[in-house]
């Protein structure tokens, strides 16, 4: 099929509607066979109207937008796909060949096949529409149909086009121990990017996700059109927002093309990672709930599993422990009512390489017999005898130069021959793009699992790529992408062999928080900053994209080890209780009162955690907008709810925050009970209130001290 010059005015010939219950993404094929992007937003019932669509035909403007933009053809925006063809040609013009939609339970998958007009190249665009969740996932599959190698220079997952008068972008910035800080910008003309090129540990500085409020100058939880997105990829990413001269916005998202040209041999296919989109006509709150629902039903590994409350040894013991330190901690964990003990860093390597600090030992995954002569199985059995599950920390992608592994396999380290290897936290990165290293990393997991009856693995990753280079890769430009594919290959093998073990994705705290890794892991370690004062904002940001059920949040000691700030044990407990609750301190250093507060909270948490994990989150008040943060989780049947209120600033003498609830059953009444307290801050504690009172007027609370908090359980009357 050949391209008709001046095809801007070509009429649409065939419409392909990718729809969910309330949203539609409309694509159409014009006379020339070009597959164009028409719209994404509220559901369009009779999408066939696009069959007769006549676009603006002024060819000075870039009005027609391919569904998958390419370098070549008539579109001059950002190409999702740029190919260097075997004959040196640099242009790609895709034309529709066929499409099919397959329906599953609550899911419709549409695959559209496109071919280049001249080169032996096929592109398959895959859209999966999750009906009830209003989520559409999209990726591309690029197939070399020719006899010679081609090179992909840009191979983004997807491109969509929005049309609004203005675009308010909510994005995340941060660093180690300061993840998920929220920033809002009005998009100007030209390109705004969210990207990372650290290779691994890619989500400290930003996150491959966003919330976009359309036609809005203010962010709203409850009104206005919103598109939110997240990329399922744990390596370098790039999400470009290109506001063109007509005011429309192209979003191009996928693997960051920086230094990542991909050589595709004859017959090979490259499958890009999925980009997840949702659209809400009712503000950002609904967009987050859509993503959370989708994640729980389709996006997360084993979202039905209940997370045990835990004691993690890191901030309580660091590297200094022996068997008795650990068994004492387990005794304390059990007496507090916790359900798991996690042995963190420091349990492995011997002799000169013993892991007594971060300077040595990584790579030598043998038990440190001076610290724990009795063995891991002894600790695991001890935990189980106490009624606790047992978890253990590994960091299998890393090696210290001071280790037996490095002496044996210096060739496995990421570097460029001739250049110094730059250490980070005294360690080097293993080249996971190399299948031999993948086998080793899988072997670390596998052999640690054999050391005892292990229920949980904390998989850490404490550095990023500097001086990229692989002794395995023929094309160095494959390294970044192949590393992440190597990681997923290992995780897939792990899951095949160990479907039930719980895995936490940790990377110096929140350096690997994305929906790519969450296909294999049950949770993430949100941040190494456990300060409740800081977590108020961080957890707010996190919740915009990710559900609380994957958010590790621990009660730690004061002064906080990162910020040196002190908050009350109640405040720390109430913050940690809105995620996957854990404790990370030396219980022996707790006062009897502190222990009591934590025990009471752990007990209460067990009774409502199902609401936090599986319910709907309403962010009632944002930490960015005033002295109070309030989050309400409502069970799907609306019969129960948990309200968290955090007062983070002194306001005025006598000031009482007034919190208006959302999401309750109209016409119902709820009994309100304050938890985690001896004296309630609510005058109506223990009484029942109609939902219209709670939602229209709200609860006025005697929360006056900086960093004071309250937790309430709401139960529908007469159920
Ligand atoms: C970084 C993690 O984020 C911490 O929780 C802890 O596991 C340390 N690594 C151990 O080295």
């Amino acid at each position: 099929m050949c391209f008709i010059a001046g095809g801007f005015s070509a009429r649409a010939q065939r419409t392909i509607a990718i729809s969910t219950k309330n949203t539609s993404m409309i694509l159409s094929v014009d006379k020339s066979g070009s597959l164009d992007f028409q719209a994404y937003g509220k559901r369009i019932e009779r999408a066939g109207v696009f069959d007769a669509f006549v676009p603006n035909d002024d060819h000075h403007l870039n009005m027609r937008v391919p569904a998958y933009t390419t370098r070549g053809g008539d579109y001059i925006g950002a190409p999702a796909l740029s190919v260097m063809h075997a004959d040196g040609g640099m242009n790609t013009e895709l034309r529709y060949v066929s499409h099919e939609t397959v329906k599953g339970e609550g899911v419709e998958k549409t695959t559209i096949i496109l071919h280049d007009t001249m080169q032996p190249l096929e592109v398959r665009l895959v859209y999966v529409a999750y009906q009830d969740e209003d989520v559409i996932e999209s990726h591309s599959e690029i197939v070399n149909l020719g006899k010679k190698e081609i090179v992909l220079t840009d191979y983004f997952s997807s491109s969509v086009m929005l049309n609004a008068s203005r675009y308010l972008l909510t994005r995340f910035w941060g660093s180690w121990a300061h993840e998920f800080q929220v920033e809002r910008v009005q998009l100007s003309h030209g390109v705004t990017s969210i990207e990372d090129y650290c290779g691994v540990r890619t989500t400290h500085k930003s996150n491959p996700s966003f919330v976009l409020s359309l036609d809005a100058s203010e962010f709203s939880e409850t009104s206005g059109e919103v598109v939110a997105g997240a990329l399922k990829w744990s390596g370098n990413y790039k999400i470009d927002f290109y506001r063109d001269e007509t005011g429309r916005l192209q979003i191009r998202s996928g693997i960051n093309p920086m230094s990542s040209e991909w050589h595709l041999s004859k017959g090979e296919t490259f499958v890009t990672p999925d980009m997840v989109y949702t659209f809400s006509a009712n503000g950002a709150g609904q967009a987050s709930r859509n993503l959370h629902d989708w994640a729980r039903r389709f996006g997360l590994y084993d979202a039905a599993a209940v997370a045990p409350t835990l004691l993690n040894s890191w901030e309580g013991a660091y590297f200094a422990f022996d068997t008795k330190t650990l068994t004492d901690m387990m005794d304390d964990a059990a007496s507090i009512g916790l359900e798991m003990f996690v042995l963190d860093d420091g349990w492995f390597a011997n002799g000169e390489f013993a892991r007594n600090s971060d300077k040595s030992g990584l790579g030598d995954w043998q038990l440190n017999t001076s610290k724990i002569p009795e063995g891991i199985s002894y600790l695991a059995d001890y935990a189980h005898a106490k009624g606790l599950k047992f978890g253990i920390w590994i960091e299998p992608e890393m090696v210290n130069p001071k280790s037996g592994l490095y002496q044996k396999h210096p060739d496995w380290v990421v570097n460029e021959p001739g250049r110094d290897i730059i250490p980070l936290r005294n360690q080097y990165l293993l080249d996971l793009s190399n299948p031999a290293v993948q086998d080793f990393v899988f072997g670390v997991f596998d052999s640690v699992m054999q050391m005892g009856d292990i229920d949980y693995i904390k998989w850490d990753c404490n550095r990023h790529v500097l001086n990229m280079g692989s002794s395995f890769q023929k094309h160095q430009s494959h390294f970044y992408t192949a590393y992440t594919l190597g990681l997923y290959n290992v995780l897939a093998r792990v899951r095949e062999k160990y479907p039930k073990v719980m895995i936490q994705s940790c990377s110096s705290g929140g350096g690997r928080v994305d929906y790519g890794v969450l296909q294999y892991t049950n949770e993430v370690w949100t941040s190494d900053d456990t300060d409740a004062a800081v977590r108020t904002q961080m957890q707010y940001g996190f919740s915009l994209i990710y559900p609380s059920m994957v958010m590790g949040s621990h009660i730690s000691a004061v002064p906080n080890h990162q910020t040196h700030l002190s908050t009350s044990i109640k405040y720390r407990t109430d913050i940690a209780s809105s995620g996957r609750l854990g404790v990370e301190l030396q219980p022996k250093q707790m006062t009897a009162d502190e222990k009591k507060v934590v025990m009471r909270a752990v007990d209460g948490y067990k009774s409502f955690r199902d609401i936090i994990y599986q319910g709907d989150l309403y962010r009632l008040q944002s930490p960015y907008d005033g002295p109070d943060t309030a989050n309400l989780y409502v069970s799907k049947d609306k019969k129960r709810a948990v309200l968290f209120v955090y007062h983070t600033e002194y306001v005025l003498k006598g000031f009482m925050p007034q919190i208006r609830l959302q999401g309750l059953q109209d016409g119902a009444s709820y009994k309100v009970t304050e938890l985690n307290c001896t004296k309630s801050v609510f005058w109506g504690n223990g009484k029942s209130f109609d939902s219209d009172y709670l939602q229209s007027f709200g609860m006025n609370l005697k929360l006056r001290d900086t960093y004071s908090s309250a937790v309430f359980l709401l139960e529908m009357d007469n159920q």
Side-chain angles (χ1 to χ4, degrees), residues 314 319 344-345 355 393 425 458 460 462 506 508-509 525 528 584:
W314 181 239
F319 293 102
D344 211 284
D345 198 352
R355 183 75 172 166
W393 178 97
R425 205 194 188 207
K458 175 173 175 178
D460 206 346
N462 285 305
C506 172
S508 312
W525 182 221
D528 273 345
E584 186 154 339

mmCIF file with all atom_site columns, all heavy atoms in Angstrom, residues 314 319 344-345 355 393 425 458 460 462 506 508-509 525 528 584, ligand 1:
data_model
loop_
_atom_site.group_PDB
_atom_site.id
_atom_site.type_symbol
_atom_site.label_atom_id
_atom_site.label_alt_id
_atom_site.label_comp_id
_atom_site.label_asym_id
_atom_site.label_entity_id
_atom_site.label_seq_id
_atom_site.pdbx_PDB_ins_code
_atom_site.Cartn_x
_atom_site.Cartn_y
_atom_site.Cartn_z
_atom_site.occupancy
_atom_site.B_iso_or_equiv
_atom_site.pdbx_formal_charge
_atom_site.auth_seq_id
_atom_site.auth_comp_id
_atom_site.auth_asym_id
_atom_site.auth_atom_id
_atom_site.pdbx_PDB_model_num
ATOM   1   N N   . TRP A 1 314 ? 16.810 -4.066  60.832 1.00 0.00 ? 314 TRP A N   1
ATOM   2   C CA  . TRP A 1 314 ? 17.802 -3.101  60.348 1.00 0.00 ? 314 TRP A CA  1
ATOM   3   C C   . TRP A 1 314 ? 18.057 -1.950  61.333 1.00 0.00 ? 314 TRP A C   1
ATOM   4   O O   . TRP A 1 314 ? 19.133 -1.835  61.899 1.00 0.00 ? 314 TRP A O   1
ATOM   5   C CB  . TRP A 1 314 ? 17.399 -2.602  58.962 1.00 0.00 ? 314 TRP A CB  1
ATOM   6   C CG  . TRP A 1 314 ? 18.370 -1.622  58.368 1.00 0.00 ? 314 TRP A CG  1
ATOM   7   C CD1 . TRP A 1 314 ? 18.117 -0.347  57.972 1.00 0.00 ? 314 TRP A CD1 1
ATOM   8   C CD2 . TRP A 1 314 ? 19.773 -1.839  58.091 1.00 0.00 ? 314 TRP A CD2 1
ATOM   9   N NE1 . TRP A 1 314 ? 19.255 0.244   57.475 1.00 0.00 ? 314 TRP A NE1 1
ATOM   10  C CE2 . TRP A 1 314 ? 20.287 -0.653  57.537 1.00 0.00 ? 314 TRP A CE2 1
ATOM   11  C CE3 . TRP A 1 314 ? 20.642 -2.917  58.271 1.00 0.00 ? 314 TRP A CE3 1
ATOM   12  C CZ2 . TRP A 1 314 ? 21.615 -0.505  57.162 1.00 0.00 ? 314 TRP A CZ2 1
ATOM   13  C CZ3 . TRP A 1 314 ? 21.983 -2.775  57.886 1.00 0.00 ? 314 TRP A CZ3 1
ATOM   14  C CH2 . TRP A 1 314 ? 22.450 -1.579  57.343 1.00 0.00 ? 314 TRP A CH2 1
ATOM   15  N N   . PHE A 1 319 ? 24.397 -3.912  61.665 1.00 0.00 ? 319 PHE A N   1
ATOM   16  C CA  . PHE A 1 319 ? 25.227 -5.092  61.393 1.00 0.00 ? 319 PHE A CA  1
ATOM   17  C C   . PHE A 1 319 ? 25.635 -5.827  62.678 1.00 0.00 ? 319 PHE A C   1
ATOM   18  O O   . PHE A 1 319 ? 26.285 -6.866  62.626 1.00 0.00 ? 319 PHE A O   1
ATOM   19  C CB  . PHE A 1 319 ? 26.506 -4.671  60.663 1.00 0.00 ? 319 PHE A CB  1
ATOM   20  C CG  . PHE A 1 319 ? 26.251 -4.137  59.276 1.00 0.00 ? 319 PHE A CG  1
ATOM   21  C CD1 . PHE A 1 319 ? 26.266 -2.772  59.015 1.00 0.00 ? 319 PHE A CD1 1
ATOM   22  C CD2 . PHE A 1 319 ? 25.980 -4.998  58.212 1.00 0.00 ? 319 PHE A CD2 1
ATOM   23  C CE1 . PHE A 1 319 ? 26.032 -2.281  57.744 1.00 0.00 ? 319 PHE A CE1 1
ATOM   24  C CE2 . PHE A 1 319 ? 25.743 -4.517  56.933 1.00 0.00 ? 319 PHE A CE2 1
ATOM   25  C CZ  . PHE A 1 319 ? 25.774 -3.147  56.696 1.00 0.00 ? 319 PHE A CZ  1
ATOM   26  N N   . ASP A 1 344 ? 17.557 -8.530  58.494 1.00 0.00 ? 344 ASP A N   1
ATOM   27  C CA  . ASP A 1 344 ? 18.054 -7.656  57.425 1.00 0.00 ? 344 ASP A CA  1
ATOM   28  C C   . ASP A 1 344 ? 19.531 -7.937  57.158 1.00 0.00 ? 344 ASP A C   1
ATOM   29  O O   . ASP A 1 344 ? 20.062 -9.004  57.509 1.00 0.00 ? 344 ASP A O   1
ATOM   30  C CB  . ASP A 1 344 ? 17.765 -6.185  57.804 1.00 0.00 ? 344 ASP A CB  1
ATOM   31  C CG  . ASP A 1 344 ? 17.521 -5.299  56.593 1.00 0.00 ? 344 ASP A CG  1
ATOM   32  O OD1 . ASP A 1 344 ? 18.515 -4.960  55.923 1.00 0.00 ? 344 ASP A OD1 1
ATOM   33  O OD2 . ASP A 1 344 ? 16.359 -4.942  56.316 1.00 0.00 ? 344 ASP A OD2 1
ATOM   34  N N   . ASP A 1 345 ? 20.201 -6.988  56.574 1.00 0.00 ? 345 ASP A N   1
ATOM   35  C CA  . ASP A 1 345 ? 21.602 -7.082  56.155 1.00 0.00 ? 345 ASP A CA  1
ATOM   36  C C   . ASP A 1 345 ? 22.509 -7.564  57.302 1.00 0.00 ? 345 ASP A C   1
ATOM   37  O O   . ASP A 1 345 ? 22.225 -7.312  58.474 1.00 0.00 ? 345 ASP A O   1
ATOM   38  C CB  . ASP A 1 345 ? 22.019 -5.664  55.722 1.00 0.00 ? 345 ASP A CB  1
ATOM   39  C CG  . ASP A 1 345 ? 23.258 -5.650  54.876 1.00 0.00 ? 345 ASP A CG  1
ATOM   40  O OD1 . ASP A 1 345 ? 23.902 -6.695  54.732 1.00 0.00 ? 345 ASP A OD1 1
ATOM   41  O OD2 . ASP A 1 345 ? 23.570 -4.575  54.347 1.00 0.00 ? 345 ASP A OD2 1
ATOM   42  N N   . ARG A 1 355 ? 30.440 -9.837  56.597 1.00 0.00 ? 355 ARG A N   1
ATOM   43  C CA  . ARG A 1 355 ? 29.579 -8.658  56.394 1.00 0.00 ? 355 ARG A CA  1
ATOM   44  C C   . ARG A 1 355 ? 29.326 -7.982  57.746 1.00 0.00 ? 355 ARG A C   1
ATOM   45  O O   . ARG A 1 355 ? 28.242 -8.115  58.337 1.00 0.00 ? 355 ARG A O   1
ATOM   46  C CB  . ARG A 1 355 ? 28.267 -9.117  55.747 1.00 0.00 ? 355 ARG A CB  1
ATOM   47  C CG  . ARG A 1 355 ? 27.289 -8.012  55.405 1.00 0.00 ? 355 ARG A CG  1
ATOM   48  C CD  . ARG A 1 355 ? 27.686 -7.214  54.207 1.00 0.00 ? 355 ARG A CD  1
ATOM   49  N NE  . ARG A 1 355 ? 26.641 -6.283  53.804 1.00 0.00 ? 355 ARG A NE  1
ATOM   50  C CZ  . ARG A 1 355 ? 26.820 -5.293  52.957 1.00 0.00 ? 355 ARG A CZ  1
ATOM   51  N NH1 . ARG A 1 355 ? 28.008 -5.093  52.389 1.00 0.00 ? 355 ARG A NH1 1
ATOM   52  N NH2 . ARG A 1 355 ? 25.825 -4.488  52.636 1.00 0.00 ? 355 ARG A NH2 1
ATOM   53  N N   . TRP A 1 393 ? 16.926 -10.898 54.302 1.00 0.00 ? 393 TRP A N   1
ATOM   54  C CA  . TRP A 1 393 ? 17.355 -9.871  53.333 1.00 0.00 ? 393 TRP A CA  1
ATOM   55  C C   . TRP A 1 393 ? 18.399 -10.436 52.388 1.00 0.00 ? 393 TRP A C   1
ATOM   56  O O   . TRP A 1 393 ? 19.307 -11.161 52.809 1.00 0.00 ? 393 TRP A O   1
ATOM   57  C CB  . TRP A 1 393 ? 17.948 -8.723  54.132 1.00 0.00 ? 393 TRP A CB  1
ATOM   58  C CG  . TRP A 1 393 ? 18.516 -7.558  53.385 1.00 0.00 ? 393 TRP A CG  1
ATOM   59  C CD1 . TRP A 1 393 ? 17.888 -6.380  53.118 1.00 0.00 ? 393 TRP A CD1 1
ATOM   60  C CD2 . TRP A 1 393 ? 19.862 -7.410  52.880 1.00 0.00 ? 393 TRP A CD2 1
ATOM   61  N NE1 . TRP A 1 393 ? 18.746 -5.509  52.469 1.00 0.00 ? 393 TRP A NE1 1
ATOM   62  C CE2 . TRP A 1 393 ? 19.966 -6.127  52.313 1.00 0.00 ? 393 TRP A CE2 1
ATOM   63  C CE3 . TRP A 1 393 ? 20.983 -8.242  52.856 1.00 0.00 ? 393 TRP A CE3 1
ATOM   64  C CZ2 . TRP A 1 393 ? 21.139 -5.645  51.725 1.00 0.00 ? 393 TRP A CZ2 1
ATOM   65  C CZ3 . TRP A 1 393 ? 22.153 -7.765  52.258 1.00 0.00 ? 393 TRP A CZ3 1
ATOM   66  C CH2 . TRP A 1 393 ? 22.220 -6.482  51.701 1.00 0.00 ? 393 TRP A CH2 1
ATOM   67  N N   . ARG A 1 425 ? 28.392 3.016   47.731 1.00 0.00 ? 425 ARG A N   1
ATOM   68  C CA  . ARG A 1 425 ? 28.259 2.275   48.988 1.00 0.00 ? 425 ARG A CA  1
ATOM   69  C C   . ARG A 1 425 ? 29.248 1.106   49.010 1.00 0.00 ? 425 ARG A C   1
ATOM   70  O O   . ARG A 1 425 ? 28.908 0.005   49.398 1.00 0.00 ? 425 ARG A O   1
ATOM   71  C CB  . ARG A 1 425 ? 26.823 1.760   49.169 1.00 0.00 ? 425 ARG A CB  1
ATOM   72  C CG  . ARG A 1 425 ? 26.462 1.530   50.631 1.00 0.00 ? 425 ARG A CG  1
ATOM   73  C CD  . ARG A 1 425 ? 25.199 0.714   50.786 1.00 0.00 ? 425 ARG A CD  1
ATOM   74  N NE  . ARG A 1 425 ? 24.791 0.692   52.180 1.00 0.00 ? 425 ARG A NE  1
ATOM   75  C CZ  . ARG A 1 425 ? 24.084 -0.274  52.730 1.00 0.00 ? 425 ARG A CZ  1
ATOM   76  N NH1 . ARG A 1 425 ? 23.676 -1.302  52.016 1.00 0.00 ? 425 ARG A NH1 1
ATOM   77  N NH2 . ARG A 1 425 ? 23.751 -0.220  53.996 1.00 0.00 ? 425 ARG A NH2 1
ATOM   78  N N   . LYS A 1 458 ? 13.429 -10.007 51.458 1.00 0.00 ? 458 LYS A N   1
ATOM   79  C CA  . LYS A 1 458 ? 13.576 -8.583  51.153 1.00 0.00 ? 458 LYS A CA  1
ATOM   80  C C   . LYS A 1 458 ? 14.703 -8.467  50.138 1.00 0.00 ? 458 LYS A C   1
ATOM   81  O O   . LYS A 1 458 ? 15.855 -8.748  50.458 1.00 0.00 ? 458 LYS A O   1
ATOM   82  C CB  . LYS A 1 458 ? 13.911 -7.812  52.439 1.00 0.00 ? 458 LYS A CB  1
ATOM   83  C CG  . LYS A 1 458 ? 14.210 -6.333  52.218 1.00 0.00 ? 458 LYS A CG  1
ATOM   84  C CD  . LYS A 1 458 ? 14.375 -5.595  53.547 1.00 0.00 ? 458 LYS A CD  1
ATOM   85  C CE  . LYS A 1 458 ? 14.780 -4.158  53.347 1.00 0.00 ? 458 LYS A CE  1
ATOM   86  N NZ  . LYS A 1 458 ? 14.895 -3.405  54.603 1.00 0.00 ? 458 LYS A NZ  1
ATOM   87  N N   . ASP A 1 460 ? 16.998 -6.315  48.028 1.00 0.00 ? 460 ASP A N   1
ATOM   88  C CA  . ASP A 1 460 ? 17.509 -4.943  48.050 1.00 0.00 ? 460 ASP A CA  1
ATOM   89  C C   . ASP A 1 460 ? 18.402 -4.692  46.840 1.00 0.00 ? 460 ASP A C   1
ATOM   90  O O   . ASP A 1 460 ? 18.857 -5.641  46.169 1.00 0.00 ? 460 ASP A O   1
ATOM   91  C CB  . ASP A 1 460 ? 18.307 -4.759  49.361 1.00 0.00 ? 460 ASP A CB  1
ATOM   92  C CG  . ASP A 1 460 ? 18.353 -3.316  49.821 1.00 0.00 ? 460 ASP A CG  1
ATOM   93  O OD1 . ASP A 1 460 ? 18.022 -2.413  49.038 1.00 0.00 ? 460 ASP A OD1 1
ATOM   94  O OD2 . ASP A 1 460 ? 18.754 -3.094  50.981 1.00 0.00 ? 460 ASP A OD2 1
ATOM   95  N N   . ASN A 1 462 ? 21.266 -1.542  46.160 1.00 0.00 ? 462 ASN A N   1
ATOM   96  C CA  . ASN A 1 462 ? 21.718 -0.280  46.740 1.00 0.00 ? 462 ASN A CA  1
ATOM   97  C C   . ASN A 1 462 ? 22.689 0.539   45.911 1.00 0.00 ? 462 ASN A C   1
ATOM   98  O O   . ASN A 1 462 ? 23.502 1.274   46.469 1.00 0.00 ? 462 ASN A O   1
ATOM   99  C CB  . ASN A 1 462 ? 22.343 -0.566  48.112 1.00 0.00 ? 462 ASN A CB  1
ATOM   100 C CG  . ASN A 1 462 ? 21.269 -0.870  49.146 1.00 0.00 ? 462 ASN A CG  1
ATOM   101 O OD1 . ASN A 1 462 ? 20.355 -0.095  49.345 1.00 0.00 ? 462 ASN A OD1 1
ATOM   102 N ND2 . ASN A 1 462 ? 21.376 -2.030  49.780 1.00 0.00 ? 462 ASN A ND2 1
ATOM   103 N N   . CYS A 1 506 ? 13.002 -3.674  47.432 1.00 0.00 ? 506 CYS A N   1
ATOM   104 C CA  . CYS A 1 506 ? 13.633 -2.562  48.147 1.00 0.00 ? 506 CYS A CA  1
ATOM   105 C C   . CYS A 1 506 ? 14.817 -2.125  47.301 1.00 0.00 ? 506 CYS A C   1
ATOM   106 O O   . CYS A 1 506 ? 15.481 -2.953  46.674 1.00 0.00 ? 506 CYS A O   1
ATOM   107 C CB  . CYS A 1 506 ? 14.101 -3.059  49.515 1.00 0.00 ? 506 CYS A CB  1
ATOM   108 S SG  . CYS A 1 506 ? 15.097 -1.861  50.415 1.00 0.00 ? 506 CYS A SG  1
ATOM   109 N N   . SER A 1 508 ? 17.523 0.740   48.268 1.00 0.00 ? 508 SER A N   1
ATOM   110 C CA  . SER A 1 508 ? 17.853 1.883   49.129 1.00 0.00 ? 508 SER A CA  1
ATOM   111 C C   . SER A 1 508 ? 16.554 2.593   49.465 1.00 0.00 ? 508 SER A C   1
ATOM   112 O O   . SER A 1 508 ? 16.384 3.786   49.213 1.00 0.00 ? 508 SER A O   1
ATOM   113 C CB  . SER A 1 508 ? 18.800 2.855   48.442 1.00 0.00 ? 508 SER A CB  1
ATOM   114 O OG  . SER A 1 508 ? 19.885 2.199   47.858 1.00 0.00 ? 508 SER A OG  1
ATOM   115 N N   . GLY A 1 509 ? 15.608 1.881   50.003 1.00 0.00 ? 509 GLY A N   1
ATOM   116 C CA  . GLY A 1 509 ? 14.260 2.427   50.200 1.00 0.00 ? 509 GLY A CA  1
ATOM   117 C C   . GLY A 1 509 ? 13.503 2.328   48.889 1.00 0.00 ? 509 GLY A C   1
ATOM   118 O O   . GLY A 1 509 ? 13.444 1.268   48.270 1.00 0.00 ? 509 GLY A O   1
ATOM   119 N N   . TRP A 1 525 ? 9.543  -1.347  49.671 1.00 0.00 ? 525 TRP A N   1
ATOM   120 C CA  . TRP A 1 525 ? 9.998  -0.570  50.833 1.00 0.00 ? 525 TRP A CA  1
ATOM   121 C C   . TRP A 1 525 ? 9.975  0.886   50.364 1.00 0.00 ? 525 TRP A C   1
ATOM   122 O O   . TRP A 1 525 ? 10.753 1.288   49.497 1.00 0.00 ? 525 TRP A O   1
ATOM   123 C CB  . TRP A 1 525 ? 11.373 -1.023  51.286 1.00 0.00 ? 525 TRP A CB  1
ATOM   124 C CG  . TRP A 1 525 ? 11.882 -0.289  52.503 1.00 0.00 ? 525 TRP A CG  1
ATOM   125 C CD1 . TRP A 1 525 ? 13.152 0.158   52.700 1.00 0.00 ? 525 TRP A CD1 1
ATOM   126 C CD2 . TRP A 1 525 ? 11.147 0.050   53.691 1.00 0.00 ? 525 TRP A CD2 1
ATOM   127 N NE1 . TRP A 1 525 ? 13.248 0.766   53.939 1.00 0.00 ? 525 TRP A NE1 1
ATOM   128 C CE2 . TRP A 1 525 ? 12.030 0.721   54.560 1.00 0.00 ? 525 TRP A CE2 1
ATOM   129 C CE3 . TRP A 1 525 ? 9.818  -0.132  54.098 1.00 0.00 ? 525 TRP A CE3 1
ATOM   130 C CZ2 . TRP A 1 525 ? 11.636 1.207   55.811 1.00 0.00 ? 525 TRP A CZ2 1
ATOM   131 C CZ3 . TRP A 1 525 ? 9.417  0.355   55.338 1.00 0.00 ? 525 TRP A CZ3 1
ATOM   132 C CH2 . TRP A 1 525 ? 10.324 1.014   56.180 1.00 0.00 ? 525 TRP A CH2 1
ATOM   133 N N   . ASP A 1 528 ? 13.842 4.797   52.926 1.00 0.00 ? 528 ASP A N   1
ATOM   134 C CA  . ASP A 1 528 ? 14.672 4.615   54.119 1.00 0.00 ? 528 ASP A CA  1
ATOM   135 C C   . ASP A 1 528 ? 14.400 5.704   55.143 1.00 0.00 ? 528 ASP A C   1
ATOM   136 O O   . ASP A 1 528 ? 14.926 5.643   56.254 1.00 0.00 ? 528 ASP A O   1
ATOM   137 C CB  . ASP A 1 528 ? 16.158 4.625   53.742 1.00 0.00 ? 528 ASP A CB  1
ATOM   138 C CG  . ASP A 1 528 ? 16.636 3.243   53.357 1.00 0.00 ? 528 ASP A CG  1
ATOM   139 O OD1 . ASP A 1 528 ? 15.927 2.259   53.646 1.00 0.00 ? 528 ASP A OD1 1
ATOM   140 O OD2 . ASP A 1 528 ? 17.719 3.130   52.757 1.00 0.00 ? 528 ASP A OD2 1
ATOM   141 N N   . GLU A 1 584 ? 10.486 -1.119  63.206 1.00 0.00 ? 584 GLU A N   1
ATOM   142 C CA  . GLU A 1 584 ? 11.898 -1.203  62.830 1.00 0.00 ? 584 GLU A CA  1
ATOM   143 C C   . GLU A 1 584 ? 12.723 -0.452  63.867 1.00 0.00 ? 584 GLU A C   1
ATOM   144 O O   . GLU A 1 584 ? 13.051 0.719   63.693 1.00 0.00 ? 584 GLU A O   1
ATOM   145 C CB  . GLU A 1 584 ? 12.087 -0.622  61.428 1.00 0.00 ? 584 GLU A CB  1
ATOM   146 C CG  . GLU A 1 584 ? 13.485 -0.802  60.918 1.00 0.00 ? 584 GLU A CG  1
ATOM   147 C CD  . GLU A 1 584 ? 13.599 -0.832  59.403 1.00 0.00 ? 584 GLU A CD  1
ATOM   148 O OE1 . GLU A 1 584 ? 12.593 -1.110  58.709 1.00 0.00 ? 584 GLU A OE1 1
ATOM   149 O OE2 . GLU A 1 584 ? 14.711 -0.588  58.920 1.00 0.00 ? 584 GLU A OE2 1
HETATM 150 C C1  . LIG B 2 .   ? 18.896 -0.282  52.265 1.00 0.00 ? 1   LIG B C1  1
HETATM 151 C C2  . LIG B 2 .   ? 17.496 -0.603  52.699 1.00 0.00 ? 1   LIG B C2  1
HETATM 152 O O1  . LIG B 2 .   ? 16.605 0.358   52.208 1.00 0.00 ? 1   LIG B O1  1
HETATM 153 C C3  . LIG B 2 .   ? 17.463 -0.721  54.202 1.00 0.00 ? 1   LIG B C3  1
HETATM 154 O O2  . LIG B 2 .   ? 16.149 -0.952  54.625 1.00 0.00 ? 1   LIG B O2  1
HETATM 155 C C4  . LIG B 2 .   ? 18.370 -1.817  54.634 1.00 0.00 ? 1   LIG B C4  1
HETATM 156 O O3  . LIG B 2 .   ? 17.897 -3.052  54.176 1.00 0.00 ? 1   LIG B O3  1
HETATM 157 C C5  . LIG B 2 .   ? 19.778 -1.556  54.129 1.00 0.00 ? 1   LIG B C5  1
HETATM 158 N N1  . LIG B 2 .   ? 19.799 -1.321  52.722 1.00 0.00 ? 1   LIG B N1  1
HETATM 159 C C6  . LIG B 2 .   ? 20.679 -2.717  54.446 1.00 0.00 ? 1   LIG B C6  1
HETATM 160 O O4  . LIG B 2 .   ? 21.909 -2.565  53.910 1.00 0.00 ? 1   LIG B O4  1
#
